[in-house]
Amino acid sequence: MSEVTVHFIRHAESEANLRPHIVSGRSNETPLTKHGVWQAMRLGRYIGGHLGRPDVVYASPAVRTIETARVSLNAAGIARHIVVDDRLQELYQGEAEGKPRKEVYDAEVMRRIELEGLDFKHQGGQSLRELGAQALGWLDDEYEQKLHSFGHTYVYGHGMSIRSLVGAIEGWDHMQIFKAST
């Protein structure tokens, strides 16, 4: 069996990142900012000089991940089809999405987060445990079907979904996932 390298890449700055006071979650229609496009171009120059050329490229269906992939691959001089997969989605925050953080994260919700940890989720939303299982299921399925025969794979995704995947693999708790950097 040959060596398989999977590079998980968080999307560049999006419009939602400029509104940290709002719970964004999936918000799949959110585009990159001008600065985000610049970041993706800079990422592409790095990729072109430091990472192996990908045999396959995946992205979540979010506009910001697909734009990051297209811009960075173009800047790296890499022409690859981008495989879009729903299982690479960001954490779904349910009824909390689009609401001000200060209204959503009141004392009761913070108490629930402390008590429920990885299993906490907003009404209609998804927990970090579920997100990690979703991402790990994707990785297991894709490895079994395709990735085992590729050398390099790029996966353009989201900070919380990448951290939740690592957390599922490493057995991290809620705070380790939440505080890890991407």
Side-chain angles (χ1 to χ4, degrees):
M1 182 170 86
S2 63
E3 183 176 314
V4 176
T5 304
V6 181
H7 300 279
F8 288 91
I9 303 165
R10 182 195 180 272
H11 65 80
E13 182 185 78
S14 72
E15 294 290 335
N17 296 131
L18 298 180
R19 297 184 311 272
H21 60 286
I22 302 293
V23 177
S24 60
R26 291 225 171 128
S27 58
N28 284 344
E29 303 79 29
T30 304
L32 295 179
T33 62
K34 287 181 184 180
H35 182 69
V37 171
W38 175 83
Q39 288 174 325
M41 289 173 56
R42 189 168 169 213
L43 169 65
R45 288 192 293 276
Y46 177 83
I47 286 172
H50 294 87
L51 302 181
R53 295 180 78 75
D55 298 302
V56 64
V57 176
Y58 293 91
S60 89
V63 168
R64 61 193 178 275
T65 60
I66 295 169
E67 285 181 341
T68 301
R70 285 187 181 139
V71 170
S72 65
L73 293 170
N74 186 49
I78 298 170
R80 288 285 181 275
H81 171 72
I82 300 168
V83 179
V84 176
D85 196 305
D86 279 344
R87 295 171 294 174
L88 298 171
Q89 293 267 18
E90 180 59 299
L91 179 69
Y92 181 54
Q93 301 270 16
E95 69 177 17
E97 287 188 8
K99 294 182 179 174
R101 284 186 186 281
K102 67 181 179 181
E103 291 176 17
V104 170
Y105 292 101
D106 59 17
E108 173 60 22
V109 168
M110 296 308 289
R111 186 185 68 75
R112 282 187 54 219
I113 291 170
E114 188 174 324
L115 289 172
E116 297 171 25
L118 290 172
D119 296 313
F120 169 81
K121 57 184 166 184
H122 294 288
Q123 182 68 34
Q126 182 179 37
S127 71
L128 291 180
R129 186 180 313 277
E130 291 168 337
L131 181 63
Q134 171 183 297
L136 188 56
W138 170 84
L139 185 59
D140 286 343
D141 289 349
E142 291 303 307
Y143 182 81
E144 186 176 310
Q145 293 174 20
K146 299 178 213 167
L147 297 182
H148 67 274
S149 62
F150 293 141
H152 287 276
T153 300
Y154 293 1
V155 181
Y156 290 83
H158 306 271
M160 193 60 74
S161 61
I162 294 168
R163 294 191 316 254
S164 293
L165 169 62
V166 174
I169 293 168
E170 295 293 326
W172 288 354
D173 66 26
H174 176 266
M175 290 311 293
Q176 288 172 300
I177 292 170
F178 185 74
K179 290 184 176 183
S181 63
T182 49

